[in-house]
Amino acid sequence: MKKKKYVNSGTVTLLSFAVESECTFLDYIKGGTQINFTVAIDFTASNGNPSQSTSLHYMSPYQLNAYALALTAVGEIIQHYDSDKMFPALGFGAKLPPDGRVSHEFPLNGNQENPSCCGIDGILEAYHRSLRTVQLYGPTNFAPVVTHVARNAAAVQDGSQYSVLLIITDGVISDMAQTKEAIVNAAKLPMSIIIVGVGQAEFDAMVELDGDDVRISSRGKLAERDIVQFVPFRDYVDRTGNHVLSMARLARDVLAEIPEQLVSYMKAQGIRPRPPPAAPVHSPPKSPARTPPASPLHTHI
């Protein structure tokens, strides 16, 4: 500032540079990425006898139980990202008719070939039907349903589909080591896992699976990314009885990490969003002839 002949302090020459656009969750959805939503419900005996009002599975004629509330809150939002609205619904930890075998991966609709239900209402209907036909048992194993969804996610890894597994459970997990291994293997696939804990149990194991503080590992192998989100349902029970507000808050918090997890997968795989489909061209309606402006330079748009 004091030297009149001062020009500058030097010159920076860029040999090369690149401009990269940050893709968003919405960019992928606009490009046609479908969210495949699968539900897995805990049918272990620790939930209590469904015929008694103290049970977490109790079907009251006046209000939804915790399982149905959590399913509805999350499903009502996520269903809009799936065009066919057909959602696989599984149960685990129950004895099945007619032979009483224990299953940790059974279709709620009873169809082994196609466990998909039509919309959230279809899942709720299948859930209620299962409560009347299966016997709650145990233990609480997550690995089979995680592996089930991972198998489907592995089949399509081009960015056109992304799987989300919602597990609703009441208790302490029994197959922690196997579940950790299944999650570590699934972390490299296009999928995320949401765990909603219902009831008053301690959910320390679920917090560990969440991986927000410490990324989970199995047999010395670290998960490539965090794909699990856990929330305790009891934190969202509105004491005033206003379920609409509390369930909206539950859905918001449960789904908060899904966009980031989807984008992190796409970025790691080098998958760019597809261009959105072109909007249909409609011929403009004919209008009376008008005198054009004297000069296009003075035309305001």
Side-chain angles (χ1 to χ4, degrees), residues 1-299:
M1 291 177 67
K2 294 179 180 178
K3 297 177 181 180
K4 294 181 180 180
K5 294 182 180 181
Y6 176 81
V7 180
N8 56 44
S9 298
T11 303
V12 175
T13 302
L14 298 180
L15 300 180
S16 66
F17 70 92
V19 178
E20 294 185 4
S21 59
E22 285 292 323
C23 302
T24 67
F25 173 71
L26 196 56
D27 290 331
Y28 289 101
I29 297 300
K30 285 180 178 178
T33 297
Q34 290 285 310
I35 304 293
N36 296 328
F37 181 49
T38 300
V39 177
I41 294 179
D42 185 338
F43 281 82
T44 54
S46 56
N47 284 281
N49 188 334
S51 64
Q52 298 177 357
S53 60
T54 53
S55 171
L56 292 168
H57 282 305
Y58 179 64
M59 291 187 289
S60 167
Y62 307 108
Q63 63 183 20
L64 297 175
N65 63 31
Y67 279 88
L69 278 174
L71 168 61
T72 304
V74 178
E76 286 289 353
I77 292 178
I78 211 167
Q79 68 174 340
H80 298 298
Y81 296 95
D82 189 310
S83 57
D84 66 6
K85 304 291 185 292
M86 296 299 293
F87 308 116
L90 308 170
F92 59 92
K95 282 186 173 182
L96 307 185
D99 56 357
R101 66 181 179 87
V102 178
S103 175
H104 298 288
E105 182 194 346
F106 63 90
L108 295 189
N109 64 3
N111 187 341
Q112 290 287 352
E113 301 300 319
N114 183 11
S116 294
C117 301
C118 184
I120 303 305
D121 288 341
I123 298 177
L124 288 171
E125 183 181 339
Y127 161 59
H128 290 148
R129 191 186 313 120
S130 290
L131 281 176
R132 292 190 291 267
T133 56
V134 305
Q135 178 188 346
L136 272 60
Y137 201 67
T140 307
N141 291 352
F142 284 4
V145 293
V146 172
T147 303
H148 176 101
V149 175
R151 201 162 43 239
N152 295 333
V156 183
Q157 301 186 53
D158 61 358
S160 62
Q161 297 183 33
Y162 192 87
S163 297
V164 176
L165 168 62
L166 170 64
I167 300 175
I168 311 177
T169 182
D170 83 309
V172 179
I173 186 169
S174 306
D175 64 340
M176 190 66 170
Q178 294 90 336
T179 297
K180 278 186 175 182
E181 184 176 6
I183 291 172
V184 168
N185 292 334
K188 61 180 181 289
L189 299 173
M191 71 174 283
S192 292
I193 301 169
I194 300 165
I195 303 174
V196 176
V198 297
Q200 301 302 315
E202 292 300 322
F203 293 112
D204 294 346
M206 309 305 167
V207 174
E208 184 179 347
L209 293 178
D210 192 303
D212 281 346
D213 299 324
V214 180
R215 185 76 58 83
I216 73 166
S217 61
S218 174
R219 301 185 183 184
K221 183 181 178 182
L222 199 66
E224 290 185 14
R225 58 196 183 94
D226 174 23
I227 64 169
V228 180
Q229 167 76 344
F230 167 72
V231 294
F233 184 82
R234 57 177 172 250
D235 291 354
Y236 300 86
V237 177
D238 193 330
R239 294 177 182 176
T240 66
N242 190 340
H243 282 307
V244 175
L245 291 178
S246 56
M247 291 307 99
R249 193 164 58 87
L250 169 68
R252 181 196 66 196
D253 291 354
V254 161
L255 299 171
E257 294 184 9
I258 298 298
E260 183 181 336
Q261 289 172 0
L262 182 148
V263 172
S264 73
Y265 169 79
M266 300 296 188
K267 194 171 182 179
Q269 300 300 316
I271 300 172
R272 304 281 300 176
R274 297 176 183 179
V281 178
H282 300 287
S283 301
K286 294 182 178 180
S287 56
R290 293 185 299 172
T291 303
S295 168
L297 296 177
H298 299 289
T299 301

